[in-house]
């Protein structure tokens, strides 16, 4: 198992898949016909998630694969991302079970999350999270993310839609899938326009906002720090019940975040331990890495 770090994926996405690795990848290859696909749970930007059955209940994420490029780079990127997934085992991370790797049917098979996402709790049901409950949730997110980071894996798409709450237990999904999904997305972008999915901007750190260009999604400077910024947005949602920069147009958010302007915490009703000032930011990063 030669192992591939997520943060080095983009540089190698065009490299041919090493032979030894392709042998061990076979262990995770699930023939598409072996998976029973039931109803659609939901459709995201790049794939449709269905309830399925493969040795028990599973979630199957079917990727919307656009016409494949001849050099096989999409398939290589997909396999790289599967190689990240298969090395993750943590209580707060969704269980990866395997993948259907024969184009045009690319799919990821994971355990089926019960419960609802934090997004549903906070933004649709308007459930209130006490400070204590928020800390318990945030602590579990930090533990799952800390594990990913310790393994050199950057999530790249941490958001409340990708965090499930199952009877108080946090389960993080969708890590390591950003490149392949954005590769599809990149092909989808029209002309010089910058397609920004709604609800995505407020998770993007200033350095990513400043790097946004049409068709540049694979070159965005994701890092552990940008994951921590996204975690900050989740923390804000938990405490305030809304997104930072709520109701503001994308252009305004891009301009403010790119300039380093932050959402004001003046109206947030929380203790000082929770409302961190600029000077506390470094301490916060340390705190997150220790949790
Ligand atoms: P985006 O594409 O912008 O990331 P999304 O997170 O809503 O949006 P998907 O990740 O494709 O899109 O998920 C689609 C739906 O499937 C969502 O409602 C999500 O909560 C659900 N889902 C994803 N993974 C699982 C899982 N392992 N178990 C149960 N439901 C899941």
């Amino acid at each position: 198992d030669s192992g591939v770090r997520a943060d080095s994926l983009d540089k190698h996405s065009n490299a041919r898949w090493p032979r030894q690795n392709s042998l061990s990848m076979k262990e995770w290859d699930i023939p598409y016909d072996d998976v029973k696909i039931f109803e659609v749970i939901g459709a995201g930007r790049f794939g449709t998630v269905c309830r399925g059955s493969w040795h028990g209940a599973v979630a199957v994420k079917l990727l919307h694969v656009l016409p494949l490029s001849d050099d096989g780079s999409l398939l290589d990127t997909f396999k790289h991302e599967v190689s990240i997934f298969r090395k993750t085992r943590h209580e707060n991370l969704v269980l990866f079970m395997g993948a259907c790797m024969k184009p045009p049917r690319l799919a990821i098979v994971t355990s089926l999350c019960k419960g609802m996402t934090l997004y549903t709790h906070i933004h649709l049901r308007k459930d209130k999270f006490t400070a204590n409950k928020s800390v318990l949730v945030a602590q579990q997110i930090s533990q799952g993310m800390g594990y990913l980071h310790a393994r050199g894996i950057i999530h790249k798409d941490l958001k409340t839609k990708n965090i499930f709450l199952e009877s108080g237990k946090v389960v993080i999904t969708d890590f390591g899938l950003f490149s392949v999904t954005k590769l599809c997305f990149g092909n989808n972008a029209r002309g010089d326009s910058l397609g920004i999915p709604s609800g995505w901007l407020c998770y993007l750190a200033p350095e990513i906002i400043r790097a946004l260009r049409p068709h540049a999604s694979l070159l965005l400077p994701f890092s552990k720090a940008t994951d921590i910024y996204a975690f900050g947005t989740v923390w804000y949602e938990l405490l305030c019940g809304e997104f930072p920069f709520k109701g503001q147009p994308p252009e305004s958010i891009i301009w403010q975040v790119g300039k380093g302007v932050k959402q004001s915490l003046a109206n947030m009703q929380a203790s000082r331990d929770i409302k961190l000032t600029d000077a506390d930011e470094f301490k916060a990063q340390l705190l997150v890495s220790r949790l």
Side-chain angles (χ1 to χ4, degrees):
D1 185 349
S2 63
V4 178
R5 284 171 59 104
D7 48 2
S8 64
L9 274 185
D10 297 343
K11 285 179 220 149
H12 299 291
S13 57
N14 287 325
R16 299 311 306 170
W17 193 246
R19 195 164 166 273
Q20 189 193 357
N21 214 345
S22 82
L23 288 177
S24 65
M25 288 293 283
K26 281 195 182 130
E27 293 167 31
W28 298 96
D29 196 351
I30 302 177
Y32 185 82
D33 293 335
D34 288 4
V35 185
K36 283 200 189 97
I37 311 263
F38 304 131
E39 81 277 4
V40 171
I41 301 174
R45 286 164 285 174
F46 325 103
T48 302
V49 178
C50 298
R51 195 171 65 81
S53 174
W54 187 73
H55 302 289
V58 292
V60 186
K61 184 162 192 160
L62 304 158
L63 298 185
H64 301 150
V65 180
L66 297 158
L68 285 174
S69 53
D70 292 338
D71 62 2
S73 60
L74 176 61
L75 190 61
D76 281 347
T77 307
F78 179 73
K79 287 183 175 177
H80 275 299
E81 301 204 331
V82 167
S83 81
I84 294 167
F85 239 134
R86 70 185 171 157
K87 288 189 292 183
T88 55
R89 286 163 179 268
H90 189 278
E91 237 208 315
N92 300 116
L93 301 178
V94 74
L95 178 69
F96 169 75
M97 298 177 74
C100 306
M101 293 188 249
K102 295 207 175 46
R105 297 227 158 111
L106 300 185
I108 302 270
V109 180
T110 65
S111 58
L112 183 69
C113 297
K114 294 156 213 103
M116 285 175 279
T117 63
L118 270 188
Y119 175 87
T120 302
H121 278 291
I122 297 172
H123 301 286
L124 303 181
R125 291 171 45 111
K126 311 276 181 203
D127 293 339
K128 293 278 172 267
F129 283 76
T130 60
N132 279 349
K133 192 167 177 199
S134 299
V135 168
L136 287 176
V137 170
Q139 201 169 20
Q140 295 180 66
I141 300 171
S142 308
Q143 280 164 353
M145 291 299 295
Y147 170 92
L148 285 180
H149 284 184
R151 310 218 78 191
I153 299 170
I154 297 168
H155 190 301
K156 300 184 182 180
D157 203 14
L158 182 67
K159 55 183 185 178
T160 45
K161 278 190 177 177
N162 287 338
I163 302 169
F164 277 84
L165 205 50
E166 298 180 341
S167 329
K169 193 179 106 176
V170 161
V171 178
I172 303 172
T173 64
D174 250 5
F175 38 91
L177 273 177
F178 188 87
S179 303
V180 73
T181 53
K182 291 300 182 299
L183 199 59
C184 302
F185 169 61
N187 292 344
N188 249 344
R190 281 200 215 131
D192 285 339
S193 65
L194 183 64
I196 297 174
S198 68
W200 186 47
L201 266 186
C202 62
Y203 293 103
L204 300 183
E207 58 270 38
I208 296 181
I209 291 270
R210 287 194 290 264
L212 285 176
R213 306 271 184 286
H215 308 289
S217 48
L218 285 176
L219 305 171
L220 295 175
F222 288 102
S223 63
K224 289 180 187 175
T226 63
D227 272 354
I228 292 171
Y229 184 96
F231 172 80
T233 299
V234 172
W235 184 224
Y236 183 92
E237 292 172 74
L238 278 166
L239 295 171
C240 299
E242 60 188 36
F243 286 111
F245 302 106
K246 185 190 169 199
Q248 299 194 31
E251 295 81 356
S252 163
I253 301 177
I254 290 175
W255 189 85
Q256 291 177 76
V257 177
K259 283 256 184 201
V261 175
K262 292 177 189 152
Q263 162 71 48
S264 159
L265 302 183
N267 295 328
M268 187 198 274
Q269 299 195 334
S271 70
R272 205 185 159 280
D273 293 349
I274 285 174
K275 286 162 80 162
L276 295 165
T277 62
D278 276 359
D280 293 324
E281 239 171 42
F282 179 64
K283 280 189 251 160
Q285 292 214 359
L286 281 180
L287 184 70
V288 169
S289 61
R290 273 194 226 131
L291 278 174

